[in-house]
Amino acid sequence: MKKLLLAALAAFLALAAPLAQGDAPGDEIRFTLRDELLRLINRDRMQFGLKPVALDPVASALADDYCRQQIRNGTTGHFTLDGMAPYMRYSLSGGNDGVSENVAAWSANYGFGDRALYDMMRRSQQAMMDEFAPHDGHRRTILDANATHVGIGLAWDRGEFRIAEEFIRRYVEWVRPLPRTASTADRVMLRVKPHSGYAVEAITVHHEAAPRAMSATLANDITSYSLPEKRREYLPRLHNRVETSGDYRVEIREQYSDGRRGDFEVADDGSVAFAIPFPDGPGVYTIVVWVHERDGRDSIAASNVSVRVMETQTAVGGTR
């Protein structure tokens, strides 16, 4: 008997990887399925006045790999057996942009033909769009007004079918990408330039313990994910400004509501350079660059870059 398993959405995440491809003779089916799901996604977005998303071939290749891994491991949700959340998977594979993930899974006691795959894929997309608040994570991800691209992953084998939608928010150019590993003594340098019409609003650094291996049962029981609440916020540096009134010139000292004056400079071209500290010890630090349109107020999470940070090893010297 078939069953549809939709893992709930949770969080917000260009690479160097092969283009999206399937395993012959399923390549043609995979490409056709992917094109159809992209059409359905953009149809649903356009019904709400949203811009279409473009297919990201590299994110699709990563999503294909994840779907195949799910089938091998007997998992259906967002987490791999090494305990990594979607934003970690995407980032540690080379991704620099913001990402949000939808996944769906089908199981049966027989293999799937082409027609069944099309039907399950369409029904999965419709089930996501039929969700109601507050349990409408998939729907909100599909209708994310700030999504610019989507990676579509597909895999099927011996009665198992997996679908992954990786919605990407691409708003900054990484002039100096972050490393994916570091030590607690390091201060790694970030340098980004927002796309034309956007400005960097803030940088938040989220910290959590290193992921731990988990069983397939536990991975399947986790139906949502999110960035850790533990975070530090860094803001653009404020400068004094001068106001003139008649013969008087007054220098105004600007500061944020908490008394701070900011943490990083914004260059004339809008680019930002900032050394990311790791003050909370070992673990995974996920860096989010927030941008907004220059004439707008909505904040956009334009990155989910995860860095594995290990304890600095202190050398012990001496003679004997």
Side-chain angles (χ1 to χ4, degrees):
M1 177 178 179
K2 300 178 186 177
K3 61 178 178 178
L4 170 63
L5 300 172
L6 289 178
L9 162 86
F12 296 116
L13 275 229
L15 326 183
L19 294 181
Q21 59 187 6
D23 297 320
D27 287 355
E28 184 175 351
I29 299 171
R30 185 186 308 278
F31 295 144
T32 306
L33 286 171
R34 184 173 284 126
D35 287 345
E36 175 63 9
L37 184 50
L38 178 64
R39 185 189 71 80
L40 294 174
I41 288 170
N42 283 328
R43 177 205 65 185
D44 293 335
R45 289 176 60 85
M46 293 175 71
Q47 286 177 350
F48 289 85
L50 301 176
K51 294 180 180 179
V53 289
L55 184 69
D56 187 315
V58 180
S60 295
L62 297 175
D64 281 343
D65 289 342
Y66 179 55
C67 289
R68 286 190 283 265
Q69 188 175 356
Q70 281 190 308
I71 291 177
R72 288 196 304 271
N73 294 334
T75 55
T76 58
H78 294 289
F79 284 81
T80 48
L81 296 186
D82 56 8
M84 286 205 296
Y87 55 88
M88 293 183 193
R89 292 198 321 267
Y90 179 67
S91 175
L92 295 176
S93 296
N96 288 307
D97 305 299
V99 65
S100 300
E101 176 179 89
N102 284 342
V103 293
W106 290 80
S107 297
N109 56 7
Y110 54 87
F112 299 126
D114 297 358
R115 187 166 184 174
L117 292 172
Y118 282 110
D119 179 62
M120 289 183 289
M121 185 185 69
R122 293 190 183 102
R123 288 171 63 186
S124 298
Q125 179 68 13
Q126 191 59 52
M128 294 178 187
M129 289 300 300
D130 286 344
E131 293 174 343
F132 290 95
H135 306 295
D136 60 341
H138 298 92
R139 188 174 189 272
R140 286 186 285 111
T141 300
I142 294 167
L143 300 181
D144 178 3
N146 298 317
T148 59
H149 296 74
V150 65
I152 296 175
L154 302 159
W156 58 94
D157 186 36
R158 298 189 299 275
E160 298 291 334
F161 184 33
R162 299 292 187 272
I163 303 168
E165 299 173 345
E166 311 291 344
F167 286 87
I168 308 296
R169 295 178 297 280
R170 186 162 293 152
Y171 288 90
V172 298
E173 174 189 354
W174 285 81
V175 181
R176 182 170 181 170
L178 289 166
R180 295 319 194 252
T181 59
S183 74
T184 52
D186 294 335
R187 287 172 62 90
V188 301
M189 181 62 71
L190 162 157
R191 185 176 177 85
V192 295
K193 182 179 180 181
H195 291 177
S196 177
Y198 292 86
V200 174
E201 179 179 281
I203 297 171
T204 56
V205 180
H206 303 250
H207 176 256
E208 60 193 297
R212 300 178 63 181
M214 61 178 66
S215 66
T217 300
L218 178 57
N220 293 340
D221 285 342
I222 303 174
T223 58
S224 65
Y225 72 95
S226 63
L227 287 174
E229 293 183 3
K230 183 178 181 180
R231 73 178 199 174
R232 295 174 185 260
E233 182 178 71
Y234 304 95
L235 300 171
R237 189 164 292 131
L238 299 177
H239 299 276
N240 294 351
R241 57 187 174 85
V242 176
E243 292 187 356
T244 303
S245 177
D247 295 333
Y248 295 95
R249 297 176 72 252
V250 179
E251 187 175 54
I252 307 297
R253 176 183 170 89
E254 292 190 331
Q255 62 185 36
Y256 293 103
S257 58
D258 62 0
R260 289 190 296 161
R261 303 202 68 199
D263 308 284
F264 56 83
E265 295 286 352
V266 178
D268 291 342
D269 63 356
S271 63
V272 165
F274 182 58
I276 304 293
F278 304 123
D280 298 310
V284 174
Y285 290 75
T286 299
I287 295 89
V288 181
V289 176
W290 296 86
V291 302
H292 63 84
E293 285 190 90
R294 291 191 178 276
D295 58 353
R297 301 180 65 90
D298 291 341
S299 300
I300 303 169
S303 75
N304 297 113
V305 179
S306 295
V307 180
R308 291 179 181 266
V309 176
M310 297 164 286
E311 188 70 65
T312 301
Q313 299 296 315
T314 303
V316 177
T319 59
R320 55 175 182 165

